[in-house]
Each structure stands twice: as C-alpha cells, then as structure tokens.
Amino acid sequence: MSSTTRARGKVRERREDVRRRVLRTAAEMMADGTPYTELPVQRIAERAGVARSTFYLHFPDKSRLLIALAEEAVDALFGEAVVWWRADHSGGEEDVARAMRQMIAAYREHRRVLHALGEVAGYDPDVAGFWRDRMRGFTEVVQGRLDAERRAGTVDPAMDTPTTAQVLIWTVERTISAHCHHDEGPGDDRIARTLARSIWLIIYGVAPPAPTDRR
C-alpha cells in the first residue's frame, strides 16, 4: 500500500470519526431533553470537540444533520414492518401484531429524532423531501405486496392498491406517533393488536382463522 493511499485512508477515518461524534453528540443532547430546534450549532460543535467550521464541512446546515440522524431512526421504525410485508402471511394477525410492537418500541427509542423530523418537515423543504421519499419507498413495498396478492386472487380484485398502501402506511405511522406521545407503555399491546386487526381486515376483508390446536 502506498503512503498516499494510507494517508487518504487516515483522512477518511478522521472524517468519519468527526461525523459520528457530531451525530452522537446531537442525539445525546436531545436525550437530555433539549428539543432539536433549540440546539445551536455552536453548542453541538463544542460538545463534540470540533470547530464550528468543521461541523459545516460535514453538515452544511442543521437540516442535513437532522436528516442524517433520521436515517437510522426511520429504518428502525419501519424495518420490522417491511419484513412482515415481504414474508409469508400464514402467521395471521399475531405476526402483524408482533411487527407493530416492534415499530412502537423503535418509535420510543428514537422518538425525539422522529418527533423533530415530523416538526421540521412542516416547514423545511429538504427535510420534508427526505421524509416524503422515505415514506414513498415504504409505500412502494406495501403496494408491491398488495399487487401480488391481487394477482393471486387473495384480496378484493377491485382494491385500489396505491391508495390502500398509502392509507396503511400513514395510518400506522400517525397512530404510533400519537400513541407514544400520550402513553408511556401500558397501552402498547392494545394499540399493536388493534392496528394488526385493522391492517388484516383492510387487506383480506375477513378475520384470520382461529389457530388450530396442534397437540
């Protein structure tokens, strides 16, 4: 390996380290209770141990910082649901409820970032564009499954799959967001099961069969 290649590798490692420190610092400050909109760049940079100018080398503005923070949070929020949409649905409603419980847990873990994402997306076009793109991607996953089910004859042939997918995604996201803002955990299972029943009935139109006794 040439000295030039090694030097470039070290520069890249330093940049990645700085980026991680800034992201970790911002997340920690939010975890301490400071709303994202009230986090000054100078304070983030100082606590992360970097110059303000260095901060801007990695994040041109706070919108880009929030988007970087939200990447992981959004993936965690929808990850388990995507697994269910792509899986065999023979497990019925219980498998959907399990996915909903995972989404609720992920929202609670990342709720400060996700709350900031929803708030800032209301007025920042870059953040709004990121959020729309990610939601569009998850909606396409759902629509793809609904289209496959329609071709297989397992759902109503008249189903408007693009609109149904949008309704399902936004209903789940908004319900979990509102729930986690008003409930500290006791109602999680009830919400998960109610969402699961709603999703199943919207897709298949009938309640899933009762589990059989396999003894």
Side-chain angles (χ1 to χ4, degrees):
M1 181 183 294
S2 68
S3 59
T4 300
T5 301
R6 285 195 297 269
R8 287 175 179 170
K10 289 181 179 179
V11 169
R12 185 167 55 252
E13 288 176 5
R14 286 197 295 270
R15 287 176 177 170
E16 291 173 354
D17 177 63
V18 169
R19 180 180 174 84
R20 284 193 297 267
R21 275 193 285 141
V22 171
L23 289 171
R24 183 173 63 249
T25 298
E28 288 172 351
M29 293 173 76
M30 294 172 70
D32 290 341
T34 305
Y36 178 79
T37 53
E38 297 178 16
L39 286 179
V41 169
Q42 185 62 39
R43 281 182 56 201
I44 298 172
E46 288 176 354
R47 185 159 165 177
V50 303
R52 185 185 179 98
S53 58
T54 302
F55 174 96
Y56 285 119
L57 284 175
H58 295 271
F59 306 100
D61 50 43
K62 279 184 64 181
S63 296
R64 296 298 173 182
L65 174 64
L66 178 56
I67 289 170
L69 287 166
E71 288 277 3
E72 178 184 355
V74 173
D75 283 345
L77 178 62
F78 286 102
E80 193 66 24
V82 169
V83 170
W84 180 78
W85 279 105
R86 290 174 171 165
D88 174 11
H89 287 183
S90 60
E93 218 174 285
E94 186 54 44
D95 282 353
V96 197
R98 186 178 301 110
M100 293 302 101
R101 284 192 288 270
Q102 289 289 336
M103 288 188 72
I104 292 170
Y107 192 97
R108 289 197 185 283
E109 181 181 354
H110 300 279
R111 62 180 174 181
R112 291 176 177 84
V113 171
L114 291 169
H115 176 73
L117 178 63
E119 180 181 2
V120 178
Y123 59 81
D124 186 295
D126 290 334
V127 175
F130 163 81
W131 188 219
R132 282 196 304 271
D133 286 346
R134 297 307 298 274
M135 293 298 280
R136 186 181 302 116
F138 293 122
T139 302
E140 288 172 356
V141 171
V142 176
Q143 184 184 340
R145 178 55 180 263
L146 296 178
D147 286 338
E149 295 279 7
R150 189 172 60 179
R151 288 192 297 270
T154 51
V155 301
D156 183 351
M159 178 185 288
D160 179 345
T161 58
T163 303
T164 302
Q166 289 180 335
V167 168
L168 287 169
I169 287 292
W170 285 106
T171 296
V172 169
E173 191 277 332
R174 287 292 82 199
T175 298
I176 290 176
S177 174
H179 168 69
C180 290
H181 277 86
H182 300 287
D183 188 302
E184 292 301 319
D188 286 3
D189 188 65
R190 183 173 65 253
I191 288 291
R193 290 187 175 281
T194 300
L195 282 171
R197 170 55 63 95
S198 300
I199 291 166
W200 190 274
L201 291 177
I202 288 172
I203 300 171
Y204 297 112
V206 295
T212 57
D213 189 344
R214 297 183 179 179
R215 291 180 298 175

